[in-house]
Amino acid sequence: MLAKAKSTRVDNAYERLKTEILNGELPPGFQAPEPDIASRLGMSRTPVREALIRLEAEGLVDLIPRRGAKVLAVSQKDICEIFEILAVLEGLAAKSAARRDVPPALIQSVEDVMTRADAALAADDIEAWAKLDDHFHRLIAQSCGNTRLEAEVINLLDQVHRANRVLLRLNKAPASNVDDHRKIVEAIKSGQDEMASAGAQSHRLNGLNTMKRLLQSSGLTQV
């Protein structure tokens, strides 16, 4: 019971800190000693320490001896590396999804997200669209049926989440053709694995080209 309670406290600290980092409440460069972070969460230091170790492993924070934790920024190099890896892994995920019987409820969830994303774009709500776009990519990863592959994709999506939000806000439009989403899903549903893979890869790499352009035009070196 004690071990389970500790695990629950660590998970709670981890989820709260991760949410605040991804939402920008703890912005890049934020740094605080562990006791201050524990006080912020109203928790003891032990679960907070373990949560920070998990976040460091995911590339979201840097633990500095005697100085606490620092929220990491995402550099242009980081964005390029992450998007290039995502292109390969999301291509594999889409291919794997096309080769299996994806549960109908999951396909319906993907289609619902696309419908809501279309509505967000029609309303010029790029913030809402960005959240739904992120949700779409997570669902495609889930559709592949490979839990390790899904975990790797989600970890990379988390690392680039803040950069996506900031740069899409600057762009005021999606980074890639929104019709790509439906083409990927149709390829998955019809079992066209190579088409699903190629579509997912080109979609991510086109997004990378937009991100590079935005970074250059804005003068930003990191986000």
Side-chain angles (χ1 to χ4, degrees):
M1 289 295 291
L2 289 175
K4 184 176 180 180
K6 178 184 176 183
S7 177
T8 300
R9 289 194 299 271
V10 173
D11 289 343
N12 182 257
Y14 166 80
E15 292 295 341
R16 289 175 62 184
L17 286 169
K18 185 171 185 176
T19 297
E20 291 188 359
I21 291 170
L22 296 184
N23 290 342
E25 295 171 59
L26 294 178
F30 172 87
Q31 183 174 330
E34 288 178 21
D36 290 0
I37 296 173
S39 177
R40 175 190 178 94
L41 298 180
M43 303 178 71
S44 63
R45 290 180 61 181
T46 299
V48 170
R49 170 68 177 175
E50 294 190 24
L52 289 170
I53 291 172
R54 287 171 63 179
L55 292 169
E56 182 180 45
E58 293 178 6
L60 295 176
V61 305
D62 184 24
L63 296 182
I64 306 170
R66 298 181 297 281
R67 294 187 181 181
K70 180 179 181 179
V71 177
L72 294 175
V74 183
S75 68
Q76 180 172 344
K77 182 174 183 290
D78 293 330
I79 292 171
C80 290
E81 290 179 351
I82 291 169
F83 270 57
E84 287 171 356
I85 297 170
L86 276 173
V88 176
L89 295 186
E90 288 182 320
L92 177 58
K95 177 186 282 190
S96 299
R99 290 178 172 177
R100 66 187 291 261
D101 292 324
V102 180
L106 185 51
I107 290 292
Q108 186 61 56
S109 294
V110 175
E111 292 178 334
D112 288 346
V113 166
M114 291 191 296
T115 299
R116 290 162 56 201
D118 288 344
L121 273 186
D124 291 324
D125 190 346
I126 194 64
E127 294 277 354
W129 182 88
K131 292 178 182 177
L132 291 163
D133 176 67
D134 180 74
H135 193 188
F136 171 85
H137 286 278
R138 292 169 190 267
L139 287 174
I140 294 299
Q142 183 181 345
S143 300
C144 76
N146 183 326
T147 55
R148 289 177 174 81
L149 176 56
E150 178 187 355
E152 291 296 331
V153 170
I154 288 175
N155 179 37
L156 291 169
L157 289 173
D158 285 343
Q159 289 183 42
V160 82
H161 180 84
R162 284 173 293 131
N164 268 334
R165 289 184 62 198
V166 172
L167 294 172
L168 286 173
R169 196 180 300 127
L170 287 174
N171 198 42
K172 299 180 181 178
S176 293
N177 190 332
V178 295
D179 292 336
D180 290 350
H181 284 185
R182 294 197 179 279
K183 291 177 182 177
I184 293 166
V185 173
E186 288 305 314
I188 290 173
K189 288 166 63 176
S190 59
Q192 299 180 73
D193 58 346
E194 293 298 338
M195 186 176 293
S197 176
Q201 289 191 53
S202 64
H203 177 70
R204 181 59 71 182
L205 292 176
N206 287 337
L208 173 56
N209 289 333
T210 300
M211 294 299 185
K212 287 179 179 178
R213 175 179 56 79
L214 288 169
L215 284 165
Q216 184 174 8
S217 62
S218 66
L220 294 172
T221 58
Q222 60 183 31
V223 183

